[in-house]
Amino acid sequence: MAITVVGSVAYDSVETPSGRYDRELAGAATYFSLAASFFTDVRVIAVVGDDFGPEQEAVFHARHIDITGIERAPGKSFFWEGSYLDNLNEAKTHNTELNVFASFEPKIPDSYRDSQFLFLANIDPVLQRRVREQMPDVKLVAGDTMNYWIKDHRPALLEVLKGLDILLINDTEARMIAGNNNLVQAARGVLSLGPETLIVKHGEYGATAFFSEQSFSKESQSPHHAFRAPALPLEEVVDPTGAGDSFAGGFFGYLASQPELTPAVFRRAMFYGSVLGSYACERFGTERLQQLTRKEIDERFLVFRELTHLD
Amino acid sequence: MAITVVGSVAYDSVETPSGRYDRELAGAATYFSLAASFFTDVRVIAVVGDDFGPEQEAVFHARHIDITGIERAPGKSFFWEGSYLDNLNEAKTHNTELNVFASFEPKIPDSYRDSQFLFLANIDPVLQRRVREQMPDVKLVAGDTMNYWIKDHRPALLEVLKGLDILLINDTEARMIAGNNNLVQAARGVLSLGPETLIVKHGEYGATAFFSEQSFSKESQSPHHAFRAPALPLEEVVDPTGAGDSFAGGFFGYLASQPELTPAVFRRAMFYGSVLGSYACERFGTERLQQLTRKEIDERFLVFRELTHLD
């Protein structure tokens, strides 16, 4: 079933210990949709500026991603500049220019209306909510956010959380939302705010899912019940930018491709998320995702199984 | 088969967000031997002072741990004082008193000589080496170390590494030994110094094993081959002291209990290590390990499987 994703389609300038690049196509919705496109149809809602041309469109078209909902506005696309020189697990932001995103009013094309899956990538929670409200009948809604919205836009974020089935964030964000340093207690706090499932991404250590009693993905009554997907120990993390969005794309794309949502499907989706996240880090920007094949994805899925399974 | 372990039997004063305790029985060899005693016979080599009496002996006897090799010396036992107030993943040391350990000359009792497994807990590498040399015929040798020895006693530590089959350390220590921040590259560096297997402990994120070509635990030719055991997300980490030593005890104890060393046995041993490490954190000091049962261990082993397995 098709996924509609709303989020940034942007340009990044990034420096890592492996090198640097300037103003390359990036953005959460770009990483997400490239990753999800290996599993299902993906439709993007975003706004771009005059700097988005045929070359960038071709990246989406090559993966059969629907960009009817990418609006063109006069001005420049969203731009982010950051580095990971001291710590590959955490970006240092040098510059953020909202540009055309500052006055973005997301509109859902009619051809997107039958999407059963909705992903609200990390943008202003006011925009996330507006998209959510325009698509009341979707089967499953997942979303992401970041420290900036948690800290300074809490009331708007809390409204978004009420409408989410699955929230994907990192350790620090989970602890910030709940105001609790213990991850299990923080997870319970986040789940009490709306989402039935919380996925906490640990960077190079993988990701853990926590479940409320209502979650389709919960299958055990164990008080310890959670599910942990590993990350792949990588010889060289060339560029961690977009790894979390690629995880989300692999995860949600796989879910959307399955006839039924079961705990077993959920677990496999977590592994596919890790697979896409690991590939994203192997080259600069979206390069690896653009060249990836489904065969490589399935091969690495088996590597992940071998990495964690007893037999 | 029996394990001989050399390391500290000590007293700790510890403060954590959950509370504090003063001068309770602790030490790496104590945690290790309690954890390993659920799987096999354990024999301890250490030195204690006048403050070690029948009450402390009873803790070992209750778990059928052989303490013939715990030497009594005039003076006080090794003492460590630390806290985890800001960060449960890393202890802050307030005070270390070597006391009787300062002049320790480890001697192997004759009754220990048929031990097939040897564990060199975190002590001066000169002492680790002396014990290793007195037990040349053991089947498998594992060991631990810490930042202090890596930084200031490197030549002695390198000699110890040459004689180890398995080294168990944390992320920071692996990066320090190899002088490389990438974990995969650091692991390769450490493996080139002697151990056939390196287990890197990630605290609340579990542990990863890396293998040299010679390792009995290596079963795959995949360039990504490693094995990752999870840690259990815990509602309350009462006291992380000894969690790494308990991991080592559960891991090595299970290995020693098996008729054959195979990759499958190695994987299960990693899970048992995680199980013992998780229990150790649930109460102050060695309290939880003292009260633990084999039934609880096997129950939690299944929880760990459920936490990570696809089906």
Side-chain angles (χ1 to χ4, degrees):
Chain A
M1 281 174 283
I3 299 174
T4 286
V5 51
V6 59
S8 57
V9 171
Y11 288 88
D12 281 358
S13 291
V14 172
E15 187 168 9
T16 82
S18 304
R20 58 172 295 132
Y21 54 94
D22 287 305
R23 297 194 177 264
E24 293 287 342
L25 178 65
T30 305
Y31 282 103
F32 177 94
S33 60
L34 287 172
S37 71
F38 290 94
F39 302 96
T40 194
D41 292 337
V42 185
R43 300 150 172 183
V44 185
I45 297 171
V47 62
V48 293
D50 312 318
D51 46 7
F52 186 90
E55 196 190 325
Q56 288 73 37
E57 286 178 10
V59 171
F60 292 90
H61 289 150
R63 295 284 331 137
H64 305 286
I65 297 163
D66 191 336
I67 56 171
T68 314
I70 297 189
E71 191 187 319
R72 318 301 168 109
K76 282 194 161 191
S77 298
F78 183 96
F79 171 71
W80 179 76
E81 187 176 358
S83 67
Y84 303 82
L85 294 182
D86 298 328
N87 182 356
L88 278 165
N89 287 311
E90 202 178 328
K92 192 170 166 183
T93 292
H94 301 296
N95 188 15
T96 304
E97 297 170 9
L98 281 179
N99 298 329
V100 295
F101 241 91
S103 53
F104 181 40
E105 292 283 344
K107 288 173 275 298
I108 322 277
D110 282 341
S111 60
Y112 284 19
R113 298 248 165 227
D114 64 347
S115 301
Q116 292 287 296
F117 286 72
L118 175 62
F119 189 76
L120 309 172
N122 169 34
I123 47 170
D124 186 336
V126 170
L127 300 182
Q128 290 180 312
R129 190 180 172 193
R130 228 171 265 165
V131 171
R132 175 69 183 95
E133 285 172 348
Q134 289 178 69
M135 297 186 76
D137 300 325
V138 291
K139 183 173 164 181
L140 205 70
V141 189
D144 188 5
T145 190
M146 69 182 291
N147 50 5
Y148 175 70
W149 310 116
I150 298 169
K151 220 167 129 253
D152 297 335
H153 297 254
R154 192 172 176 91
L157 178 63
L158 292 179
E159 285 304 313
V160 172
L161 294 185
K162 285 183 198 166
L164 286 188
D165 297 300
I166 303 173
L167 176 66
L168 296 100
I169 48 181
N170 68 28
D171 287 75
T172 310
E173 291 155 358
R175 292 180 164 120
M176 273 179 82
I177 292 178
N180 190 318
N181 270 328
N182 176 282
L183 190 59
V184 178
Q185 294 177 29
R188 191 175 311 123
V190 173
L191 292 172
S192 75
L193 298 172
E196 292 177 358
T197 304
L198 168 67
I199 296 178
V200 183
K201 297 171 286 182
H202 312 307
E204 65 174 316
Y205 299 119
T208 306
F210 296 93
F211 314 107
S212 74
E213 288 302 321
Q214 294 76 44
S215 172
F216 80 86
S217 39
K218 183 178 171 69
E219 62 186 317
S220 163
Q221 294 312 309
S222 161
H224 294 293
H225 190 53
F227 184 68
R228 193 161 264 189
L232 191 66
L234 286 175
E235 184 82 24
E236 186 182 5
V237 176
V238 172
D239 178 14
T241 309
D245 301 312
S246 304
F247 177 100
F251 165 78
F252 212 51
Y254 180 76
L255 279 188
S257 75
Q258 296 301 296
E260 219 187 333
L261 297 179
T262 65
V265 163
F266 180 88
R267 288 166 175 245
R268 293 177 68 88
M270 290 273 292
F271 269 53
Y272 277 112
S274 286
V275 166
L276 271 295
S278 77
Y279 274 124
C281 297
E282 290 187 349
R283 305 256 178 88
F284 287 114
T286 61
E287 189 186 337
R288 189 68 181 92
L289 293 186
Q290 288 189 48
Q291 296 166 350
L292 198 60
T293 66
R294 179 61 198 251
K295 183 162 168 285
E296 289 176 315
I297 291 173
D298 290 329
E299 281 166 3
R300 187 159 288 183
F301 184 91
L302 295 178
V303 170
F304 272 80
R305 173 188 274 272
E306 195 182 291
L307 183 67
T308 50
H309 279 49
L310 290 170
D311 30 49
Chain B
M1 280 174 286
I3 298 174
T4 286
V5 50
V6 59
S8 58
V9 171
Y11 288 88
D12 280 359
S13 290
V14 172
E15 186 168 10
T16 82
S18 304
R20 58 172 294 132
Y21 54 95
D22 287 305
R23 297 194 176 264
E24 294 286 342
L25 179 65
T30 305
Y31 282 103
F32 177 93
S33 59
L34 287 171
S37 71
F38 290 94
F39 302 95
T40 195
D41 292 337
V42 185
R43 299 151 173 181
V44 185
I45 296 172
V47 62
V48 293
D50 311 319
D51 46 7
F52 187 90
E55 197 190 325
Q56 287 74 38
E57 286 178 10
V59 170
F60 292 90
H61 289 150
R63 294 285 330 139
H64 306 285
I65 297 163
D66 190 337
I67 56 171
T68 312
I70 298 190
E71 190 188 319
R72 317 303 166 106
K76 284 193 160 191
S77 298
F78 183 96
F79 172 71
W80 179 76
E81 187 176 356
S83 67
Y84 303 83
L85 294 180
D86 299 329
N87 181 356
L88 278 165
N89 288 312
E90 202 177 328
K92 192 169 165 186
T93 293
H94 301 296
N95 188 13
T96 303
E97 297 170 10
L98 281 180
N99 298 328
V100 296
F101 241 90
S103 53
F104 181 39
E105 291 284 344
K107 288 172 274 300
I108 322 278
D110 282 342
S111 60
Y112 284 19
R113 297 250 165 225
D114 63 347
S115 302
Q116 292 287 297
F117 286 72
L118 174 63
F119 189 75
L120 309 172
N122 169 35
I123 47 170
D124 186 336
V126 170
L127 300 182
Q128 291 180 313
R129 190 181 172 194
R130 228 170 267 164
V131 170
R132 175 71 183 92
E133 285 173 348
Q134 290 178 69
M135 297 186 77
D137 300 324
V138 291
K139 183 173 165 182
L140 206 70
V141 189
D144 188 6
T145 191
M146 70 183 289
N147 50 6
Y148 175 70
W149 310 116
I150 298 169
K151 219 166 130 254
D152 297 333
H153 297 253
R154 193 173 174 91
L157 179 63
L158 291 180
E159 285 304 313
V160 172
L161 294 184
K162 285 183 197 164
L164 285 187
D165 297 300
I166 305 173
L167 175 66
L168 296 100
I169 48 180
N170 68 30
D171 287 73
T172 310
E173 291 155 359
R175 292 179 166 120
M176 272 179 83
I177 291 178
N180 190 317
N181 269 329
N182 176 283
L183 191 58
V184 177
Q185 293 177 28
R188 191 175 310 122
V190 172
L191 291 172
S192 75
L193 298 173
E196 292 178 359
T197 305
L198 169 67
I199 295 179
V200 183
K201 296 172 286 181
H202 313 306
E204 64 174 317
Y205 300 119
T208 306
F210 297 92
F211 313 107
S212 75
E213 288 303 321
Q214 294 75 42
S215 173
F216 79 87
S217 39
K218 182 175 171 74
E219 63 186 314
S220 162
Q221 293 311 310
S222 160
H224 294 294
H225 190 53
F227 185 69
R228 193 161 264 190
L232 192 66
L234 285 176
E235 183 82 24
E236 187 183 4
V237 175
V238 171
D239 178 14
T241 310
D245 301 312
S246 304
F247 177 99
F251 165 78
F252 212 51
Y254 180 76
L255 279 189
S257 75
Q258 296 300 298
E260 220 188 332
L261 297 179
T262 66
V265 163
F266 180 88
R267 288 165 174 245
R268 294 177 67 88
M270 290 275 290
F271 269 54
Y272 277 113
S274 285
V275 166
L276 272 295
S278 77
Y279 274 125
C281 296
E282 289 188 349
R283 305 256 178 89
F284 288 114
T286 60
E287 189 185 336
R288 188 70 181 91
L289 293 187
Q290 288 189 46
Q291 296 166 349
L292 197 60
T293 66
R294 179 61 197 251
K295 184 162 168 283
E296 288 175 315
I297 291 173
D298 290 330
E299 281 166 6
R300 187 158 290 181
F301 184 91
L302 295 178
V303 170
F304 272 80
R305 173 188 275 271
E306 193 180 294
L307 182 68
T308 49
H309 279 49
L310 290 170
D311 29 47

